[in-house]
Amino acid sequence: MLDLDTVPPERLLARADLCARWAGLTLGAGVAQALATMDSDDMAMPFVSAVTAFGLCAVGGVLLGDSLTPPPQDAVRTAGLTPRRVRNHVPPRMAPLLLLQTACVVVLLAIGTTVADSDRAGRAGRALAVTCAVGRTRHLGPWPGLYYATPILASLTLGTAACVWALRRIAHRPGGNQQRHDRSWAITAAWGLLVSSQLLLVLGMIGRVLFYSQCAGMLGNITALVIYPLGLLSLFTLVWCLFTIVVPRAVDHE
């Protein structure tokens, strides 16, 4: 049996932080499974909702864990002359990759919304109209048009705003440099999990349309050369983000 009187408060708070992270991932997985299996006349929207819910729950779990860890209350507080900046505490290699993926999501959704058309049932923003050489037009979907772009962009905006606020709060609150780095890496990983999963979802939609399109031509080949490397990059960052969230003090291994 664990004697709470013999466990340092810092260790209890570290366990609470880790439990909050795992709780966010577990809750996200449960909600995602429920959303993915719900009845819908649109086969893609349940998966969009599931990926969005999982990412937001992961962000919420990490932010909850950070709020459970108050800054140390030292008897004497000292102030350094060097200003604290968020970029000094986030992962130096992964943060640019995640920013690149965020830009890719926005650009792909903007292009998808611009060229999107109605599906066979006449519902706008869900398909891509492809006209072959014989003059036959096919409506292929799901396509990341406005219908799917709206919840994706809304979740990215909400998650990004929450994580930026948390990173600024961590950078300017008292505490050791190691603690600020650990917290910043965890929050960056939670945000990256949301970004990478959404990018994989968008790339999956585009890849499916290209797979079933028999007349994409040179444009389809060029698009494939772009989305497949992006998909591999997203998978890599997704695994890194999951590992950073579930393994405490991941900064020590860098």
Side-chain angles (χ1 to χ4, degrees):
M1 174 177 285
L2 178 64
D3 187 2
L4 297 180
D5 294 333
T6 62
V7 180
E10 294 81 5
R11 190 175 178 184
L12 288 176
L13 292 174
R15 290 182 180 179
D17 177 30
L18 186 59
C19 289
R21 299 185 191 185
W22 276 96
L25 293 174
T26 304
L27 177 62
V31 174
Q33 181 181 6
L35 292 174
T37 56
M38 68 179 183
D39 295 331
S40 175
D41 59 346
D42 187 342
M43 65 177 181
M45 183 53 75
F47 290 99
V48 173
S49 303
V51 172
T52 300
F54 179 74
L56 290 178
C57 287
V59 171
V62 173
L63 294 180
L64 175 62
D66 179 68
S67 66
L68 294 176
T69 308
Q73 302 296 327
D74 297 332
V76 179
R77 295 178 57 183
T78 60
L81 297 178
T82 304
R84 297 176 183 174
R85 298 183 177 91
V86 173
R87 65 172 179 266
N88 295 333
H89 304 292
V90 297
R93 299 181 183 89
M94 296 304 298
L97 291 179
L98 295 176
L99 289 174
L100 172 64
Q101 292 181 52
T102 305
C104 290
V105 172
V106 175
V107 171
L108 290 175
L109 290 178
I111 296 175
T113 301
T114 302
V115 302
D117 203 343
S118 302
D119 60 4
R120 299 174 186 175
R123 298 172 296 187
R126 303 192 187 193
L128 177 68
V130 179
T131 303
C132 298
V134 296
R136 180 185 175 186
T137 301
R138 302 176 60 192
H139 295 268
L140 302 176
W143 178 258
L146 183 62
Y147 179 74
Y148 302 109
T150 300
I152 293 176
L153 290 177
S155 64
L156 283 179
T157 302
L158 179 62
T160 301
C163 290
V164 168
W165 172 83
L167 288 174
R168 288 180 59 85
R169 173 175 171 267
I170 291 172
H172 295 93
R173 74 182 180 186
N177 234 2
Q178 182 66 52
Q179 185 189 48
R180 281 193 291 272
H181 276 75
D182 291 341
R183 300 295 173 191
S184 298
W185 278 53
I187 292 174
T188 303
W191 175 67
L193 182 64
L194 177 63
V195 172
S196 299
S197 59
Q198 298 287 26
L199 180 57
L200 279 174
L201 181 63
V202 174
L203 293 175
M205 290 183 181
I206 298 176
R208 185 179 186 277
V209 169
L210 291 178
F211 179 79
Y212 284 102
S213 176
Q214 300 176 354
C215 53
M218 183 60 67
L219 180 61
N221 295 332
I222 296 176
T223 306
L225 290 176
V226 174
I227 66 171
Y228 293 146
L230 275 178
L232 292 176
L233 177 63
S234 301
L235 283 175
F236 169 74
T237 55
L238 184 67
V239 172
W240 180 89
C241 291
L242 280 173
F243 178 81
T244 304
I245 292 174
V246 301
V247 177
R249 302 185 67 82
V251 182
D252 290 344
H253 300 288
E254 292 294 320

